[in-house]
Amino acid sequence: MDSLVEFKAADGAQVVVAVAEDELAGGARLAARGDGGAVQATRTFENSLEGARAAAESALRVFRDGSLRPDAVEIEFGVKLTAEAGAVIAKSAVEGHLVVKLSWAPQPEAGQDREPRSA
């Protein structure tokens, strides 16, 4: 059964997240239990997501730099929130979960307009 973990946002809003019971075991240091029985996280919601944001920035830098130069990069990874560690990249059936999609728009031939002309 899942437990509830309450994160505070920078603007003071409460973000409540369902966390697996085993994530709360093992001596996690938690601030306290809130009024609704939710465990108070030790970090803010934004602070918890900082590592995930840094991971996304690093991955984008790797795929945008170099010789490929795609027009669009889409990166998908699962984020798991824990009461103590904040956000971690979630593990899936394989050791890590990361989906990367690169795309290129067709380039018009020399002398052709990009926009089709109306009749």
Side-chain angles (χ1 to χ4, degrees):
M1 179 172 200
D2 289 345
S3 291
L4 299 178
V5 175
E6 183 180 295
F7 292 87
K8 294 280 187 192
D11 65 0
Q14 297 176 347
V15 179
V16 180
V17 178
V19 175
E21 285 287 338
D22 61 340
E23 293 298 324
L24 297 177
R29 292 181 309 273
L30 306 171
R33 286 212 179 259
D35 294 336
V39 173
Q40 301 287 312
T42 57
R43 302 168 68 173
T44 66
F45 187 67
E46 291 85 354
N47 189 274
S48 295
L49 292 174
E50 184 62 32
R53 185 185 65 77
E57 286 177 346
S58 295
L60 282 173
R61 193 171 32 258
V62 166
F63 291 108
R64 284 184 174 158
D65 293 347
S67 61
L68 291 177
R69 303 236 184 254
D71 293 319
V73 178
E74 182 179 328
I75 297 176
E76 172 186 320
F77 55 90
V79 175
K80 182 177 183 178
L81 291 168
T82 68
E84 185 178 56
V88 295
I89 295 177
K91 191 165 112 173
S92 67
V94 293
E95 279 304 305
H97 175 79
L98 181 67
V99 176
V100 178
K101 295 178 184 179
L102 307 176
S103 62
W104 292 264
Q107 298 298 317
E109 294 182 26
Q112 290 184 347
D113 292 340
R114 287 186 175 255
E115 299 286 327
R117 295 182 184 175
S118 58

